[in-house]
Amino acid sequence: MKKIILFFILLLSFSIVFSQSQISVSSRFGTLGDKQHVLKDNVVIKKSDLTMMTEVATITQLDDDWRDMVCSATTIKTSTLNASAEFFKFDLSTEKGQLSKKVSVKILVDKKDLYISCDVLEFNNKEKNYTGSSNDLVKILKEDYVISAKNFSYNETTKILVLNGDVRIKNDAKKIDLKTQNSTFRTDTNEMKAEGINLTLEVKETK
């Protein structure tokens, strides 16, 4: 019984709320200072609709405000987003961040999932904007659509996916294979717009 009570007190002692911006931080262990907090083991950071979970997080003061956060492998969640990566940087004030190394993203679009794999993802949580790129190609899946490009941007409000560089949009079920350098794809209607189109359509021949 004593061990259980001791663990509860230890966990609670590292639960911090920064009153001005209402950021809740908890972990099992940590080193707290005037300018920097280093938190370890089951770290959970919450602000507005965003929850960030990691094993190691360093939060540093920037311009006399607790803003700069750097994390090891991290999972972030909102009501529409679930993403993970091996490295995470985040500004707790602006809610702008960067996920890098083996980035995996799932965005909910009209009760259907949009899956994205890339090397780097920049995002603005307040505006729900996402920009990503890969040294090879970004991979995007949306129902029967398989999409690849060098880089992309996406906004949850407009639901427009902007694709650039070696773009390919393929749908075997609909027998569509589009290749271009620049394209847009609406994730709510599947409407595509492109420049310099190279399109292959499969047509069944009848006698």
Side-chain angles (χ1 to χ4, degrees):
M1 185 64 179
K2 289 181 180 179
K3 289 183 179 179
I4 295 174
I5 293 172
L6 179 62
F7 172 76
F8 178 75
I9 291 171
L10 183 64
L11 182 63
L12 186 62
S13 67
F14 289 102
S15 295
I16 307 162
V17 176
F18 302 104
S19 58
Q20 290 185 345
S21 52
Q22 294 297 306
I23 304 165
S24 173
V25 182
S26 66
S27 70
R28 280 194 65 191
F29 306 104
T31 302
L32 309 182
D34 291 339
K35 297 292 184 180
Q36 187 178 81
H37 300 326
V38 180
L39 305 160
K40 297 180 180 180
D41 198 352
N42 195 28
V43 183
V44 180
I45 303 105
K46 295 182 179 180
K47 185 184 181 188
S48 57
D49 69 332
L50 183 63
T51 299
M52 298 157 277
M53 296 165 286
T54 185
E55 289 303 307
V56 181
T58 301
I59 302 174
T60 307
Q61 276 199 354
L62 181 65
D63 299 327
D64 295 323
D65 197 8
W66 294 102
R67 291 180 55 179
D68 187 57
M69 183 172 72
V70 177
C71 303
S72 61
T74 303
T75 297
I76 64 174
K77 294 181 179 181
T78 69
S79 59
T80 56
L81 173 73
N82 190 324
S84 62
E86 292 185 354
F87 187 74
F88 180 47
K89 296 191 298 182
F90 190 67
D91 188 318
L92 291 163
S93 177
T94 63
E95 296 189 30
K96 294 178 181 179
Q98 182 191 81
L99 291 158
S100 58
K101 297 182 180 179
K102 297 181 180 179
V103 182
S104 178
V105 183
K106 181 174 73 173
I107 301 173
L108 185 64
V109 182
D110 296 334
K111 298 181 180 180
K112 296 176 181 178
D113 294 325
L114 179 71
Y115 296 94
I116 303 170
S117 297
C118 57
D119 292 337
V120 178
L121 180 77
E122 307 271 355
F123 74 98
N124 183 326
N125 186 54
K126 291 181 179 179
E127 297 182 2
K128 303 299 180 185
N129 283 330
Y130 310 95
T131 302
S133 62
S134 286
N135 290 329
D136 187 12
L137 290 172
V138 176
K139 306 292 185 182
I140 302 171
L141 301 177
K142 197 263 180 176
E143 298 180 280
D144 295 330
Y145 285 91
V146 179
I147 301 168
S148 59
K150 283 288 187 181
N151 57 73
F152 79 95
S153 63
Y154 183 69
N155 180 272
E156 286 191 29
T157 303
T158 64
K159 299 179 182 178
I160 296 176
L161 184 64
V162 179
L163 304 159
N164 295 292
D166 297 337
V167 179
R168 186 175 186 180
I169 302 173
K170 190 175 182 181
N171 189 318
D172 289 336
K174 293 181 172 60
K175 300 178 180 179
I176 296 172
D177 190 355
L178 170 64
K179 295 178 183 179
T180 182
Q181 287 300 310
N182 301 288
S183 179
T184 60
F185 182 93
R186 289 194 62 98
T187 57
D188 54 345
T189 64
N190 298 333
E191 179 187 79
M192 294 167 274
K193 293 183 180 180
E195 300 174 3
I197 295 173
N198 183 350
L199 179 64
T200 301
L201 301 174
E202 291 185 22
V203 180
K204 185 178 180 180
E205 293 187 1
T206 58
K207 294 180 180 180

